[in-house]
C-alpha cells in the first residue's frame, strides 16, 4: 500500500460557490485542490445570461487566494426563455463552458428552471450544433413520483428521449445516484458522461434517517439504497472515461439545514479529494483515481489536461465540526471524523 499518491492536478466538474461573503469564504477550499471547476448557476437570481456569467466569474476570480492557480468554468441556467444566440456567443467567447438544465422545482433555487424540455429544444439544438455541453440535474418533479424514484423516472421520460433525438449533444448527467443512471451512461454513446459526488460513494439513505434525521447528510438527488451506492462505486472505479469527479459541494448555513424544512446540499469542498481517494483505496483502485479526478473530465469537455500535480499522504486528518464561512457556520461533510488521507499541496 503506497504511503502517498501523486496525480495530475484534478478538476471539479460540478459545484456551488454561492455569492457574496459565503462565496469568498468557500472558493479557497476548492481553488487549493482543483485547477478548474464547473460553477453552478443557481444563484438567486440565477445566472441566465453570458453577461451575468462574466460578472459572476470576475467575482469568483477575485476570491482566489494570491498565488493559487484556479480557473472557474461558468455555466448558464436554462429557463423557458433562454436566448440561444446569447448562449452560443458566450460559448464562442469562452465565457460559458456549458449550460445547465434544472427541471423547475427539482432542487435548490430551481424555481425558474425549465417547465417542459420542449420549451428549450431550439436552444438544445443550437448547443448540439456548436458542441456546447449540457449539464443536467436529472430528476423529474411532481407529487406522483416518489422522491427515491425521481432519477430513474427522469431517464425514461426525459433523458433517453433527449439523447435519442439529439445524439450529437454532449450531456453530463450530474451527480448520479442510482444503478439505473450508471447503466444508462454505460449504454449510451460517448457524448454522454456523468459526475459522481463523494457523498454518493460514501453514504446510503440510512445515513440520513437511522437514529434520527441527519440534515447534513441530505442532498438532492437524495442518497439511495446500498445497492445503488455499490453500483456508483463500481462505475467510478471502473476505469470508464465516462465518469468524472464532480463534488456538488453545496454550502448552506447550519441553521438553514437544521430546520423544520432543511435545505438540500452537502458542503464537501474542504476535504473532497481525501474523501474520494479513500473510496478508490477501499475499492483497490488507486491506480484509477487519476483518470476519474484529472483526465476523464477534461477529455469529455474537450479541454486540455492540467499541468502540475497534487500529492495525497496516507496520514490521519481530523475534520472540524463546523467552519466559519463568511460569518455563517457551515457543517462540512465528514465533520468530526478522522480521515485516512491528507492533501499535501499543489506541486
Ligand atoms: C444543490 C444546491 O444546494 O445548490 N443542492 C443539492 O442538494 N445538491 C443543488 C443541486 O445540485 O441540485
Ligand atoms: Zn443538482
Ligand atoms: Zn449541484
Amino acid at each position: 500500500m503506497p504511503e502517498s499518491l501523486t496525480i495530475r492536478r484534478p478538476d471539479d466538474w460540478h459545484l456551488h460557490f454561492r455569492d457574496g461573503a459565503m462565496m469568498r469564504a468557500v472558493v479557497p477550499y476548492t481553488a487549493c485542490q482543483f485547477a478548474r471547476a464547473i460553477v453552478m448557476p443557481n444563484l438567486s437570481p440565477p445566472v441566465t445570461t453570458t453577461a451575468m456569467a462574466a460578472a459572476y466569474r470576475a467575482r469568483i476570480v477575485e476570491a482566489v487566494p494570491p498565488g493559487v492557480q484556479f480557473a472557474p468554468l461558468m455555466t448558464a441556467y436554462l429557463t423557458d426563455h433562454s436566448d440561444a444566440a446569447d448562449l452560443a456567443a458566450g460559448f464562442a467567447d469562452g465565457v460559458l463552458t456549458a449550460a445547465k438544465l434544472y427541471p423547475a422545482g427539482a432542487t435548490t433555487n430551481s424555481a425558474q428552471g425549465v417547465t417542459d424540455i420542449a420549451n428549450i429544444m431550439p436552444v438544445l439544438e443550437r448547443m448540439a450544433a456548436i458542441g456546447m455541453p449540457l449539464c443536467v440535474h436529472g430528476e423529474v418533479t411532481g407529487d406522483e413520483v416518489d422522491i427515491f424514484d425521481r432519477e430513474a423516472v427522469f431517464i425514461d421520460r426525459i433523458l433517453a428521449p433527449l439523447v435519442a433525438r439529439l445524439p450529437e449533444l454532449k450531456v453530463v448527467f450530474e451527480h448520479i445516484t442510482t444503478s439505473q443512471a450508471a447503466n444508462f451512461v454505460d449504454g449510451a454513446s460517448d457524448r454522454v458522461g456523468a459526475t459522481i459526488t463523494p457523498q454518493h460513494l460514501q453514504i446510503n439513505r440510512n445515513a440520513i434517517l437511522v437514529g434520527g434525521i441527519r440534515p447534513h447528510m441530505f442532498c438532492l438527488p437524495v442518497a439511495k439504497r446500498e445497492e445503488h451506492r455499490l453500483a456508483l462505486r463500481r462505475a467510478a472505479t471502473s476505469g470508464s472515461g465516462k465518469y468524472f469527479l464532480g463534488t456538488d459541494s453545496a454550502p448552506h448555513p447550519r441553521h438553514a439545514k437544521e430546520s423544520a424544512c432543511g435545505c438540500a446540499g452537502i458542503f464537501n469542498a474542504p476535504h473532497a479529494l481525501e474523501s474520494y481517494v479513500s473510496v478508490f483505496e477501499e475499492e483497490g483502485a488507486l491506480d484509477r483515481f487519476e483518470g476519474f479526478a484529472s483526465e476523464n473530465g477534461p477529455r469529455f469537455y474537450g479541454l486540455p489536461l492540467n499541468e502540475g500535480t497534487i500529492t495525497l499522504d496516507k496520514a490521519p486528518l481530523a475534520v472540524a465540526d463546523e467552519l466559519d464561512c463568511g460569518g455563517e457556520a457551515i457543517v462540512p461533510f465528514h465533520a468530526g471524523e478522522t480521515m485516512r488521507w491528507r492533501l499535501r499541496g499543489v506541486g
Side-chain angles (χ1 to χ4, degrees):
M1 194 61 64
E3 292 306 299
S4 70
L5 181 68
T6 296
I7 60 167
R8 184 186 292 279
R9 194 153 176 234
D11 305 298
D12 183 349
W13 298 96
H14 176 138
L15 97 165
H16 305 266
F17 276 148
R18 315 305 188 198
D19 211 344
M22 187 182 289
M23 179 272 285
R24 289 190 291 275
V26 303
V27 161
Y29 290 115
T30 293
C32 292
Q33 297 171 67
F34 300 103
R36 297 169 290 198
I38 287 272
V39 180
M40 287 296 132
N42 62 332
L43 303 182
S44 176
V47 178
T48 51
T49 65
T50 296
M52 290 175 88
Y56 185 32
R57 180 169 69 176
R59 297 195 295 279
I60 294 167
V61 166
E62 268 189 36
V64 176
V68 173
Q69 274 195 4
F70 174 75
L73 305 178
M74 308 310 291
T75 58
Y77 182 118
L78 295 173
T79 73
D80 288 344
H81 312 289
S82 288
D83 177 353
D86 175 61
L87 302 187
F91 183 64
D93 290 347
V95 175
L96 295 175
T97 299
K100 173 77 186 209
L101 167 59
Y102 289 104
T107 187
T108 306
N109 288 339
S110 63
Q112 293 174 66
V114 174
T115 59
D116 183 337
I117 189 125
N119 295 337
I120 57 165
M121 206 45 77
V123 176
L124 299 178
E125 284 166 358
R126 183 76 172 269
M127 289 171 62
I130 62 176
M132 183 175 188
L134 175 72
C135 300
V136 177
H137 180 105
E139 288 189 289
V140 294
T141 58
D143 290 342
E144 83 288 2
V145 185
D146 188 279
I147 191 162
F148 289 99
D149 298 335
R150 288 180 175 192
E151 184 175 275
V153 173
F154 182 87
I155 297 168
D156 294 341
R157 287 194 194 162
I158 310 287
L159 195 54
L162 175 65
V163 303
R165 177 165 176 174
L166 294 177
E168 290 306 308
L169 182 65
K170 274 193 200 179
V171 178
V172 185
F173 195 174
E174 303 277 5
H175 48 41
I176 61 168
T177 64
T178 57
S179 61
Q180 289 94 330
N183 289 340
F184 176 78
V185 172
D186 284 339
S189 80
D190 62 5
R191 315 292 288 176
V192 177
T195 56
I196 307 182
T197 76
Q199 59 266 22
H200 293 111
L201 297 169
Q202 296 270 7
I203 65 168
N204 63 34
R205 63 194 198 176
N206 283 6
I208 310 166
L209 294 168
V210 172
I213 294 178
R214 299 176 194 276
H216 300 291
M217 298 298 190
F218 176 58
C219 67
L220 288 170
V222 67
K224 309 295 192 298
R225 288 176 180 274
E226 177 66 358
E227 69 198 60
H228 296 288
R229 185 183 76 102
L230 297 178
L232 298 172
R233 284 185 161 229
R234 282 194 297 276
T237 61
S238 65
S240 164
K242 289 166 165 276
Y243 298 102
F244 34 95
L245 187 160
T247 63
D248 193 21
S249 182
H252 290 279
R254 178 172 205 146
H255 64 79
K257 292 197 57 81
E258 296 177 5
S259 145
C261 185
C263 298
I266 294 178
F267 179 48
N268 59 30
H271 301 298
L273 281 176
E274 289 97 337
S275 187
Y276 279 115
V277 78
S278 65
V279 170
F280 278 73
E281 181 188 34
E282 286 159 11
E283 298 296 323
L286 280 178
D287 58 326
R288 294 182 173 168
F289 186 52
E290 184 170 42
F292 177 79
S294 314
E295 295 173 353
N296 300 346
R299 286 193 179 122
F300 184 89
Y301 274 88
L303 295 170
L305 303 189
N306 294 318
E307 302 297 328
T309 60
I310 52 114
T311 297
L312 289 142
D313 293 315
K314 193 84 186 284
L317 168 71
V319 180
D321 291 326
E322 69 172 34
L323 296 163
D324 176 1
C325 295
E328 293 281 9
I330 303 186
V331 176
F333 190 44
H334 296 295
E337 293 176 26
T338 300
M339 304 186 78
R340 293 195 308 278
W341 288 83
R342 190 162 66 193
L343 182 64
R344 188 191 299 174
V346 177

